[in-house]
Amino acid sequence: MSCPRSLLTRTAARIILCCLALGVLAALGSADLTGTQVATKPTPTRLPQPAPQASATAFEQTVFDKINAVRKEHALPPVRFASDLLAVARRHSEDQARRNILTHVSADGRNAGARLDAAQVGWVRYGENVALVKGYSDPAATVVDAWMRSPGHAANVLDGKLVESAIGVAQSADGTYFITQDFVTR
């Protein structure tokens, strides 16, 4: 599917402006607005694991595989797929798509750690990357490339202490894909 050049130019300009804004916010120390989060829980929590969720979609699996390819390039082991994280990441992407907003905070005011706790996902450390993309022939590659150009996002991808992960994708009414990657160490 081809897009008019003017649409691609406008989209590229929006992405550049968003990246610049995120860079300024990151420089100011506002982690919740940069598209990345990472936290360490002081005391390990072991909660029962929920029943396995549905498998990843082709788009989710493609992003997951590209993330592991990047980790391999940096001599890191791949992150392991975690179906309980898939459910959490999908729900957050669906929430963002419904509200048409890129954020780490859900409509009910929860950050990633609180969402993991609510889903009874045990963790001692977590990370989260979020993104949105529209109008690209390879949205999975676009997202991973953008994350790797962002210091905060890349830090999550390349954090050897984050060993499990899943990608959740949802599409808004206007066709924008919202992507959430959650990472944990249990």
Side-chain angles (χ1 to χ4, degrees):
M1 176 179 200
S2 64
C3 294
R5 183 177 282 292
S6 62
L7 176 62
L8 291 174
T9 303
R10 285 193 311 266
T11 301
R14 286 186 194 128
I15 290 171
I16 290 168
L17 287 175
C18 287
C19 289
L20 289 173
L22 292 174
V24 168
L25 291 171
L28 296 174
S30 183
D32 275 357
L33 299 176
T34 65
T36 66
Q37 272 192 340
V38 67
T40 302
K41 198 179 240 185
T43 305
T45 301
R46 295 286 183 199
L47 297 170
Q49 296 300 312
Q53 302 294 319
S55 62
T57 65
F59 186 175
E60 291 163 341
Q61 188 65 51
T62 299
V63 175
F64 188 83
D65 292 344
K66 288 180 180 296
I67 291 295
N68 275 334
V70 168
R71 287 175 63 97
K72 183 177 181 178
E73 289 170 9
H74 289 84
L76 291 168
V79 288
R80 293 184 308 272
F81 174 78
S83 62
D84 54 346
L85 291 179
L86 174 62
V88 174
R90 271 190 191 158
R91 277 193 302 269
H92 188 57
S93 289
E94 290 164 357
D95 176 60
Q96 292 175 92
R98 245 188 328 278
R99 297 186 297 144
N100 200 31
I101 185 172
L102 183 67
T103 181
H104 286 288
V105 180
S106 61
D108 61 3
R110 294 184 205 177
N111 70 8
R115 290 191 310 275
L116 292 167
D117 289 342
Q120 298 185 337
V121 174
W123 60 274
V124 294
R125 181 180 177 85
Y126 77 82
E128 179 174 84
N129 287 346
V130 295
L132 61 85
V133 66
K134 181 180 179 183
Y136 288 88
S137 60
D138 188 350
T142 301
V143 167
V144 174
D145 290 345
W147 280 344
M148 295 315 296
R149 286 192 309 273
S150 164
H153 294 95
N156 282 345
V157 170
L158 301 176
D159 186 336
K161 294 178 182 173
L162 294 171
V163 297
E164 293 181 68
S165 184
I167 310 285
V169 176
Q171 195 170 21
S172 67
D174 73 355
T176 301
Y177 289 103
F178 287 81
I179 300 99
T180 302
Q181 180 168 27
D182 286 322
F183 302 86
V184 295
T185 302
R186 298 180 202 250

